[in-house]
Amino acid sequence: MSQPDASAGPASTAADPEPTTDGTDGAAAEPLVVVDDLEKHYPVRSGVLRRRTGAVRAVDGVSFEIGRGEALGLIGESGSGKSTLAETLLHLTEPTGGTVRFDGAPVGDEAGGFDDLRRRTAMVFQDPASSLDPQLTVGESAAEPLRVRGVARRRRRERVATLFERVGLTAAHRDRYPHELSGGQKRRVGIARALALDPAFVVLDEPTAALDVSVQAELLDLLAELREAFDLSLLFVSHDVSVVRRACDRVAVMYAGELVETGATRSVLDDPAHPYTRALAAAVPTPDPRAERPRHSLSGAMPDPADPPDGCRFHTRCPEVIPPEDSGLTSAEYGAVIDLRVDLAGGEVDLDRLRARADGDDADSLGRALRAEYGLPGPDGDAGRALSAAVDDAVAGDDATAVGRIREAFGSPCVRENPERGEGDRDSACHLPTE
């Protein structure tokens, strides 16, 4: 089999694609990447026999598409599953479930398609230092994909020289080792290496992390130029909302292994439909000292992917969680109740510390200290009486009974059901009514 001409520019076809029945261009009608219900679960084992007792659901039923020449931004906090999704999509780690289609063909153990996927896709890894071999010059590292494909040494050097020039590096950089380059230069080497085989699709994992603002701007300008010149489809994996706003056509928001909102970048970030997206967008700092403080903010930590909460996975941190019907609670008050339930279930309510802060030694004093600690609502109404009984159980050290009381008395759609994303160009997985 003949090897691809790695020194050539962007790939071209011998003939134009045939038109489809709806009058559109065949290539344009089919997205380049189609991900359907993709999963990546890691087994949890325990005991002497290391039996499987659970699973870390790092990616849990994710679906999206990336068009030809399109840039999709994947945003979310650290630990949301973004990098795992990117690696699973490229089959750098094997999926647990779901399917990936690349350029119209399925990819997987039974479907095959790995060679085309490997040749026509690439990834720029998050840590440029660890992704470059310290014993090789950066020119040799950039040429490694070509060497694996059997491209002759002279052709490799010519291709790398061309790519280094395209990404803003000089010929002198090729003979340097990774420790001799700055962080921005190492990222440019990673981009050059990713382009070595003239891919159609490139994943960039936190491409601007730990770079100065000016260097970030230069790198994003470079990626925009390369995207146009090479007709690339890109997946930006980032926690930086401002980077995605500048570089991407569409955005997908990920939380605890699931996508919670997708749509056109400006539409999603300027008018978020999901409370988590609102919190991410509000967290972007503004240089204007007169600007109002954001109303939406996040508290608490990402849930354990080995034991995600029932219902909407964001409900344990959601500032807009829907209170139980007829409870008379506000979202903030209901959020305080959920905080207590989560901490009781995790054994994180420290009664000894509360005793030190209580105004007496009796159970009532400890109960008041617990209420103050969490900002719990008063004892009025059915909800208040149920909460008072749960507080009494917690003070007595019976966390399991307290959790059961709260679950029974304080149900809501957010706790009972995991909402599904809608369909179309703009969708959100949330129980809140849409306008």
Side-chain angles (χ1 to χ4, degrees), residues 351-390:
L351 293 180
D352 290 335
R353 184 173 60 83
L354 286 173
R355 286 190 182 92
R357 301 177 57 182
D359 54 11
D361 296 332
D362 58 302
D364 288 343
S365 298
L366 190 55
R368 287 193 296 272
L370 182 63
R371 284 180 175 276
E373 174 81 6
Y374 284 87
L376 297 174
D380 298 331
D382 293 341
R385 286 189 288 273
L387 181 58
S388 294

Side-chain angles (χ1 to χ4, degrees), residues 261-344:
E261 185 167 3
T262 62
T265 301
R266 288 191 178 278
S267 176
V268 169
L269 297 182
D270 290 345
D271 185 23
H274 197 282
Y276 182 61
T277 311
R278 280 195 276 275
L280 292 179
V284 177
T286 173
D288 185 358
R290 298 166 297 179
E292 295 183 2
R293 295 176 63 86
R295 294 187 301 109
H296 308 280
S297 60
L298 289 174
S299 61
M302 188 84 64
D304 183 355
D307 186 24
D310 295 334
C312 172
R313 293 188 181 180
F314 187 55
H315 86 261
T316 57
R317 302 172 70 196
C318 181
E320 302 174 57
V321 63
I322 300 174
E325 189 176 357
D326 299 329
S327 68
L329 300 180
T330 66
S331 290
E333 290 172 334
Y334 186 41
V337 175
I338 290 173
D339 288 343
L340 176 61
R341 188 204 75 202
V342 170
D343 286 353
L344 285 170

